[in-house]
Amino acid sequence: MVGGGQLARMTHQAAIALGRGLRIVAERPDDPAAQVSPDVVLGKADDLEALRRAVRGAVALTFDHEQVPQEVLRALEAEDVAVHPPSAALRFAQDKLAMRERLAELGAPAPCFWRVVDPVECPWPDGGLVLKTASGGYDGRGVWFPQTKDEAQEIVAQLLEAGQDVLAEEKVAAKRELSALVARSPLGQVAAWPVVETVQESGICVTVIAPAQDLPGELAAQAQELAIQLATDLGVVGVLAVELFETADGRILVNELAMRPHNSGHWTMDGSTTSQFEQHLRAVLDYPLGDPSPIAEVTVMANIIGGVAASGMSMDERVHHLMARFPRVKVHLYGKAPRPGRKIGHVNLVGASSDLQEIRAEAERAARWLSSGEGLSE
């Protein structure tokens, strides 16, 4: 697995249960996955020789992130390495402009978009505009919400000057954000988890509610079918997350794609028969896919976002107090040093849908406590 972050760390945990070894390509020996895997190749994602060392004797190559250059992937594929997802599919998770153009060809519902090559030609639709860099953005990075056309033109000029490809999209009046998570094997078997709601703050997902509540059955089915169709049409192998907008007038629009385990699927570790990490491995190894059914009526995942600890307690002390107060909460820490805006772990809590308000409050309080040492006794 290329990348030593938390996704590789949790995929390694799933590999252990399957009796498989997961070799990690990590930049540093203290990366989250490198801390726990005995089989680590140190190197960057654009280092072809490091990846060649990593795939020696391996069954397949997969990813913790999408930032692997296309020329590197194609070189490995030319050497008969089983790259999953293949470079031809991964391109549409690496390049937002390519994704938008391909989705338009496939007729997938999506916001209006424009490739901007001149600040003067930057559009300004009635509802406003969102500007994005075509590649490299995540967790709110690489995204701008200009308030005026002049501000939009200034941002475009700066990005073009920096050599960035610029994508402009109409600003969607979204009711909420959803995510449809599916997995696909090389032989075309697919499995879909329930559609979930993702709650965002400053471009960062803070809470996931699975399944999304009060989502009309027809719309939920449409979202799942769309994700399955995109996985098939794009030739994805592994997990595909289709991030969606639900509009006030009852439509769904594709926001972005991720071709790897995804933050919106962390709830599956404790709330699904088969977690997204096990499923990703099953798909990459061409095993029959597992049952994605939920094991509870509702699961709430809350991200632990790095911040300044107010209590002065160590993380171990905070976990100790949390377990005493909320013994049902499942804690997943990533081995990351905290800093503002950085995801350093998450918690999951399952229960009955009638108790959703209480479950969500408990999960979010637990995450806040582990982040800052505040809020446990509220």
Side-chain angles (χ1 to χ4, degrees):
M1 182 170 257
V2 181
Q6 65 263 26
L7 301 180
R9 182 184 178 108
M10 291 182 279
T11 305
H12 170 69
Q13 295 168 356
I16 292 171
L18 295 178
R20 302 305 300 256
L22 184 68
R23 183 174 297 149
I24 304 296
V25 181
E27 291 192 19
R28 294 169 294 274
D30 62 346
D31 282 348
Q35 295 173 21
V36 298
S37 173
D39 193 353
V40 178
V41 171
L42 292 177
K44 294 186 176 181
D46 60 358
D47 185 342
L48 178 57
E49 291 308 315
L51 268 59
R52 281 178 170 144
R53 292 197 304 273
V55 299
R56 196 169 297 136
V59 175
L61 180 74
T62 191
F63 310 97
D64 164 280
H65 60 76
E66 290 97 347
Q67 307 307 317
V68 186
Q70 279 283 308
E71 58 269 21
V72 170
L73 297 178
R74 289 194 293 266
L76 293 171
E77 289 168 335
E79 297 167 9
D80 294 325
V81 175
V83 177
H84 295 320
S87 62
L90 192 64
R91 174 172 174 255
F92 300 112
Q94 295 174 321
D95 186 326
K96 295 181 178 67
L97 276 165
M99 176 199 70
R100 284 283 177 238
E101 291 166 353
R102 184 64 177 134
L103 291 180
E105 291 173 358
L106 294 172
C112 294
F113 73 96
W114 302 265
R115 179 191 293 265
V116 185
V117 297
D118 186 333
V120 176
E121 297 176 359
C122 183
W124 189 254
D126 291 341
L129 197 69
V130 180
L131 294 173
K132 299 180 179 181
T133 53
S135 61
Y138 68 97
D139 283 351
R141 300 172 179 88
V143 181
W144 293 264
F145 298 90
Q147 299 302 305
T148 65
K149 185 173 182 178
D150 287 344
E151 183 185 354
Q153 290 176 335
E154 289 178 12
I155 294 170
V156 169
Q158 292 170 3
L159 293 173
L160 293 174
E161 179 67 24
Q164 297 276 7
D165 291 327
V166 181
L167 168 69
E169 297 177 359
E170 65 171 329
K171 189 175 182 181
V172 175
K175 177 181 177 181
R176 58 179 169 176
E177 295 190 35
L178 305 171
S179 179
L181 198 73
V182 299
R184 182 177 179 273
S185 75
L187 292 179
Q189 183 188 7
V190 293
W193 289 272
V195 178
V196 304
E197 178 180 354
T198 64
V199 181
Q200 314 284 326
E201 291 182 5
S202 302
I204 299 176
C205 177
V206 293
T207 303
V208 171
I209 301 168
Q213 302 297 290
D214 302 318
L215 182 65
E218 290 184 3
L219 210 58
Q222 182 185 344
Q224 284 187 319
E225 290 166 6
L226 174 62
I228 290 170
Q229 192 61 52
L230 288 176
T232 302
D233 289 343
L234 300 178
V236 175
V237 173
V239 166
L240 169 69
V242 181
E243 298 179 60
L244 301 160
F245 295 121
E246 180 188 0
T247 66
D249 58 358
R251 295 176 297 144
I252 56 169
L253 302 175
V254 178
N255 180 18
E256 294 190 1
L257 305 178
M259 297 180 190
R260 51 174 169 74
H262 190 256
N263 193 205
S264 67
H266 289 352
W267 70 274
T268 64
M269 297 178 74
D270 301 293
S272 175
T273 304
T274 306
S275 79
Q276 66 166 341
F277 300 101
E278 178 185 336
Q279 197 80 294
H280 187 73
L281 286 172
R282 285 184 180 226
V284 166
L285 295 169
D286 204 12
Y287 290 172
L289 299 183
D291 181 1
S293 300
I295 61 173
E297 289 182 344
V298 69
T299 303
V300 174
M301 187 280 296
N303 276 318
I304 304 167
I305 309 296
V308 178
S311 66
M313 287 185 184
S314 68
M315 180 60 77
D316 183 64
E317 290 176 296
R318 278 177 266 166
V319 169
H320 182 100
H321 286 284
L322 175 68
M323 288 180 170
R325 180 63 185 271
F326 294 139
R328 297 188 305 158
V329 171
K330 296 294 186 179
V331 178
H332 301 275
L333 296 174
Y334 304 155
K336 284 182 166 184
R339 64 170 182 254
R342 190 185 202 191
K343 295 171 184 171
I344 60 173
H346 70 271
V347 300
N348 285 331
L349 188 57
V350 303
S353 56
S354 58
D355 298 328
L356 174 58
Q357 186 173 353
E358 176 185 343
I359 292 168
R360 178 175 177 179
E362 189 171 317
E364 291 178 339
R365 187 183 303 173
R368 186 167 69 253
W369 166 257
L370 292 177
S371 173
S372 66
E374 294 181 326
L376 193 63
S377 300
E378 292 177 4

